[in-house]
């Protein structure tokens, strides 16, 4: 018998059929009472606040942004197709944050006319007056063409505080790029600005950590002073170059973009009490978050990503930090996040298991009233949703993209209706379930079975049988006689190809990311609802969305 944790108005019964462990036993039961659990047909008190538009969004490493977007002569149509797919599901194309450590490393080079980004290792004192050991990237005017390649897309553009606060070259680059950036982001392309990436780690001296930008004293008052000085200069330049972007409604920042909870010299509470938002120009509280690091010992797909408890605990650390600022009423976003920091780990971050994690991570964040999640991307990063160009890693749609699509489908169009989401608590760390309410009524239920199943088992020509769970939901007052089922599926949690959602592939090689219906995958599945009760089987390492409307 499997005990199921209950929330007010939410519950589920389940049984397990088959499994892929070495044991031949099975787990049986349908909840602690032996009966189906009840799901409220109207939005329960435990549901989230209305989910904002563009909840499913992306962050792209500043130095790699031109690879993803292209430029005016060669726009990256493939990337735009993938963004459109999500926008078609949610009503708004994903918002794009262009930033990261490379934004803090960027120097403007007016002579760089044909190349968007030039990476330079400056490991000795340089003519650009950079401190010893600092490396940087040069950007030219062509870089800013990338902001014109994706129609109907809003951006967060990051300026460098890392270099601007320590050297003349960095400061002059800041002043020079403000008018270029504002002109590139006119006509509604700008969402907000950002000034500095993870400044709480600027004085970090850990080997293998992020680049160190500060060597002397670095505390909350130092950070606030430099942030205020820089943003004041940005505002003055905007007032001259792009006055329409200097109004109270149009001008603002996401901040402080800390790496939570690893901050040391700087703290959330002290930074704000020291006057970071003295000018009321912070529009969104932003933190960064990764489930783990590639350098952490004992990293496994099942133990780290296919583990709902890890996701809950990781998001809880973010919420704990935000609690210090809850009285500000400023919405909270995770502006940079993904599975494993330091670009991810092959065989974990680039597998179908990471797709299931991406779906769960986004839905859990939405259920906890986080306003938006930006999944981090970069050329040749292992945790990418897609590889935008042919390089060390083949161009193509990667497993995590399918998780973002499934999460977007579960949330639906938040521009057309009021969407709220509630978690359905389960006792196993390898399972998660959610209910979506549209305009106050149950519209969808998602179940994610994160029990690992390897399609390729070393030494075995035939994989062992794939287990499944049977979930039993009872919904009082439901009028549907059947529900549709859309499945996120692959051959196993270790798969890197052969993935589909609702029978569609988003592969580059088929139609450059435009959804293509596969002939060898079942879709259009319907499940009967009998006396308000529906039972759905979910294979290990797969997910399903039940559509009630």
């Amino acid at each position: 018998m499997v005990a199921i944790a209950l929330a007010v108005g939410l519950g589920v019964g389940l049984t397990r059929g088959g499994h892929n462990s070495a044991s031949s036993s099975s787990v049986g039961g349908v909840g602690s009472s032996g009966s189906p659990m009840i799901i409220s047909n109207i939005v329960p008190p435990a549901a989230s606040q209305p989910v904002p538009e563009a909840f499913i969004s992306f962050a792209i490493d500043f130095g790699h942004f031109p690879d993803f977007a292209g430029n005016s002569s060669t726009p990256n149509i493939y990337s735009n197709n993938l963004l459109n797919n999500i926008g078609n599901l949610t009503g708004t194309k994903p918002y794009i944050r262009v930033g990261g450590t490379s934004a803090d490393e960027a120097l403007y080079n007016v002579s760089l006319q044909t190349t968007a980004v030039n990476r330079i290792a400056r490991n000795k004192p340089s003519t650009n007056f950079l401190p010893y050991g600092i490396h940087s990237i040069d950007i030219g005017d062509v870089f800013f063409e990338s902001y014109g390649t994706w129609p109907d897309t809003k951006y967060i553009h990051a300026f460098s505080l890392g270099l601007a606060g320590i050297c003349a070259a960095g400061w002059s680059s800041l002043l020079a790029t403000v008018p270029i950036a504002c002109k590139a982001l006119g006509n509604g392309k700008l969402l907000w600005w950002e000034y500095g990436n993870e400044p709480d780690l600027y004085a970090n001296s850990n080997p293998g950590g992020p680049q160190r930008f500060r060597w002397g004293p670095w505390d909350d008052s130092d950070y606030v002073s430099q942030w205020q000085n820089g943003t004041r200069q940005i505002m003055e330049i905007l007032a001259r170059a792009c006055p329409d972007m200097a109004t109270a409604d149009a001008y603002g920042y996401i901040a402080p973009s800390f790496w939570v909870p690893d901050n040391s010299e700087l703290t959330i509470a002290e930074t704000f009490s020291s006057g970071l938002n003295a000018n009321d120009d912070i529009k969104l509280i932003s933190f960064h978050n990764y489930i783990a690091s590639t350098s952490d010992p004992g990293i496994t797909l099942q133990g780290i990503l296919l583990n709902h408890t890890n996701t809950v605990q990781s998001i809880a650390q973010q919420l704990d930090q935000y609690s210090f600022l809850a009285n500000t009423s400023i919405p909270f976003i995770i502006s940079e996040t993904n599975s494993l920091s330091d670009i991810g780990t092959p065989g974990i971050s680039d597998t179908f298991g990471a797709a299931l994690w991406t779906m769960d991570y986004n839905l859990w964040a939405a259920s906890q009233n986080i306003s938006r999640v930006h999944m981090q991307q970069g050329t040749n990063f292992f945790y990418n949703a897609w590889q935008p160009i042919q390089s060390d890693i083949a161009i193509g749609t990667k497993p995590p993209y399918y998780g973002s699509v499934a999460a977007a489908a579960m949330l639906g169009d938040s521009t057309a209706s009021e969407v709220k989401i509630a978690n359905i608590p389960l006792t196993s760390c390898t399972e998660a379930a959610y209910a979506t309410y549209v305009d106050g009524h149950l519209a969808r239920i998602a179940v994610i079975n994160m029990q690992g199943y390897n399609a390729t088992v070393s030494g075995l020509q035939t994989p062992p049988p794939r287990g499944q769970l049977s979930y039993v939901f009872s919904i009082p007052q439901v009028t549907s006689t059947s529900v549709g089922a859309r499945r996120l599926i692959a051959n196993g949690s270790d798969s890197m190809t052969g993935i589909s959602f609702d029978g569609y592939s988003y592969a580059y090689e088929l139609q450059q990311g435009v959804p293509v219906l596969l002939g060898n995958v079942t879709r259009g599945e319907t499940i009967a609802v009998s006396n308000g009760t529906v039972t759905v089987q979910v294979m290990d390492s797969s997910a399903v969305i039940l559509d009630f409307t």
Side-chain angles (χ1 to χ4, degrees):
M1 192 71 70
V2 181
I4 305 298
L6 300 179
V8 176
L10 292 173
V12 60
L14 59 85
T15 60
R16 174 170 282 280
H19 57 91
N20 59 359
S21 66
S23 168
S24 62
S25 63
S26 63
V27 179
V30 287
S32 57
S33 64
S35 302
M37 300 297 170
I38 297 173
I39 301 288
S40 176
N41 193 39
I42 59 174
V43 62
S48 70
Q49 296 298 310
V51 177
E53 65 178 324
F55 181 88
I56 305 293
S57 286
F58 293 100
I60 298 177
D61 179 83
F62 191 92
H64 296 149
F65 176 52
D67 291 343
F68 280 79
N71 56 38
S72 58
S73 60
T74 55
N76 194 315
I77 297 171
Y78 167 51
S79 292
N80 190 54
N81 288 340
L82 295 178
L83 297 176
N84 281 336
N85 296 335
I86 293 176
N88 291 338
L89 291 168
T90 64
T92 309
K93 285 178 75 171
Y95 294 159
I96 306 299
R97 176 231 181 199
V98 181
T101 301
S102 61
D104 264 336
E105 298 169 344
L107 292 174
Y108 176 62
N109 184 344
V110 68
S111 66
L112 197 62
Q113 296 296 323
T114 59
T115 303
V117 176
N118 186 28
R119 296 184 177 275
I120 300 173
R122 294 186 171 101
N123 293 316
K124 59 183 179 180
S126 75
T127 56
N128 285 307
F129 309 107
L130 295 181
Y132 182 84
I134 283 284
H135 58 273
S136 69
I137 63 172
D138 283 359
I139 61 170
D141 291 344
V142 178
F143 176 90
F144 296 92
E145 290 183 8
S146 297
Y147 283 122
T149 63
W150 293 338
D152 304 316
T153 304
K154 288 186 177 293
Y155 299 92
I156 296 165
H157 174 83
F159 292 114
S160 170
L161 171 61
L163 292 183
I166 57 172
C167 63
W171 183 251
S172 62
S173 288
L174 170 65
L175 303 183
T177 56
V178 172
I180 303 172
C182 73
K183 288 179 172 60
L185 290 164
N187 300 316
K189 296 174 188 172
L190 178 70
L191 184 64
W192 303 118
W193 306 106
E194 182 178 32
Y195 187 43
N197 177 76
E198 298 170 3
D200 53 326
L201 300 185
Y202 278 2
N204 175 73
S205 59
N206 295 328
Q211 175 154 247
R212 189 175 185 182
F213 289 105
R214 299 295 184 269
W215 286 263
W218 182 243
D219 59 20
D220 300 288
S221 61
D222 296 320
Y223 166 55
V224 170
S225 175
Q226 291 188 18
W227 196 88
Q228 290 288 359
N229 183 47
T231 56
R232 185 164 49 249
Q233 291 294 319
I234 292 169
M235 177 61 162
E236 290 177 2
I237 296 172
L238 288 175
R240 297 191 300 269
C242 303
D244 58 317
M245 292 185 174
T247 64
D249 290 337
Y251 174 73
Y253 296 83
I254 68 167
S257 302
F258 282 2
W259 177 291
V260 176
D262 292 333
N263 46 2
S264 52
E265 288 84 2
L266 309 185
T267 64
I268 296 295
E270 286 298 320
T271 294
F272 274 77
S273 65
S274 296
L276 188 70
N277 196 31
N279 296 323
D280 292 324
D281 50 9
I282 295 177
K283 306 301 184 180
L284 295 168
I285 305 296
S286 61
F287 297 150
H288 296 175
N289 187 55
Y290 290 85
I291 289 292
S293 171
T294 56
S295 60
D296 290 343
I299 296 291
T300 65
L301 180 59
Q302 183 73 72
I304 298 298
L305 298 190
L306 295 176
N307 188 321
H308 177 68
T309 301
N310 275 356
T311 294
V312 171
Q313 292 173 346
S314 181
I315 296 295
Q317 293 175 331
Q318 301 282 323
L319 297 172
D320 286 345
Q321 294 296 316
Y322 179 63
S323 66
F324 293 113
L325 307 177
N327 62 343
T328 65
S329 299
I330 303 173
F332 164 43
I333 67 170
I334 301 179
S335 59
E336 179 183 319
T337 189
N338 215 302
S339 56
L340 303 175
S341 64
D342 303 325
I343 81 171
T345 297
I348 295 179
S349 301
D350 53 359
T351 65
F352 182 62
L356 297 173
W357 171 81
T358 299
M359 182 182 182
D360 183 37
Y361 184 86
N362 278 279
L363 295 180
W364 177 256
S367 76
Q368 301 303 299
N369 293 318
I370 292 172
S371 293
R372 193 164 62 248
V373 171
H374 292 259
M375 302 301 291
Q376 177 76 350
Q377 313 295 307
T379 306
N380 296 328
F381 288 9
F382 294 113
Y383 54 52
N384 272 352
W386 73 97
Q387 169 75 1
I389 61 172
Q390 188 68 34
S391 184
D392 295 341
I393 295 176
I395 186 173
T397 310
K398 307 305 178 183
Y401 179 78
Y402 289 83
S404 291
V405 166
M410 179 59 178
L411 294 174
D413 189 346
S414 58
T415 66
S417 308
E418 182 183 81
V419 176
K420 295 185 176 183
I421 187 164
N423 172 249
I424 301 173
L426 303 177
T427 55
S428 172
C429 68
T430 60
E431 297 162 312
Y434 301 89
T436 297
Y437 294 85
V438 176
D439 292 335
H441 295 278
L442 179 67
R444 293 176 285 277
I445 290 175
V447 181
I448 309 169
N449 181 348
M450 290 177 278
Q451 177 61 49
Y453 176 77
N454 289 338
T456 305
V457 181
S458 178
L460 297 178
Q461 292 185 349
T462 303
R466 191 168 184 170
Q468 68 177 16
L469 285 169
S470 179
Y471 292 83
V472 185
F473 301 95
S474 180
I475 306 99
Q477 289 85 48
V478 70
T479 58
S480 304
T481 58
S482 65
V483 296
R486 292 180 285 173
R487 295 187 183 271
L488 177 62
I489 192 72
N491 286 337
S493 53
D494 58 342
S495 297
M496 298 181 184
T497 59
I499 302 165
S500 66
F501 174 69
D502 193 31
Y504 285 93
S505 169
Y506 299 88
Y508 171 81
E509 56 270 22
L510 294 181
Q511 203 168 327
Q512 290 196 56
V514 173
V516 174
L517 183 60
L518 300 175
N520 60 346
V521 179
T522 300
R523 74 178 300 272
E525 178 184 356
T526 59
I527 300 172
V529 178
S530 177
N531 297 319
T533 298
V534 59
T535 302
V536 60
Q537 281 73 41
V538 186
M539 288 191 298
D540 290 347
S541 297
S542 73
V544 66
I545 296 175
L546 303 179
D547 295 300
F548 287 81
T549 56

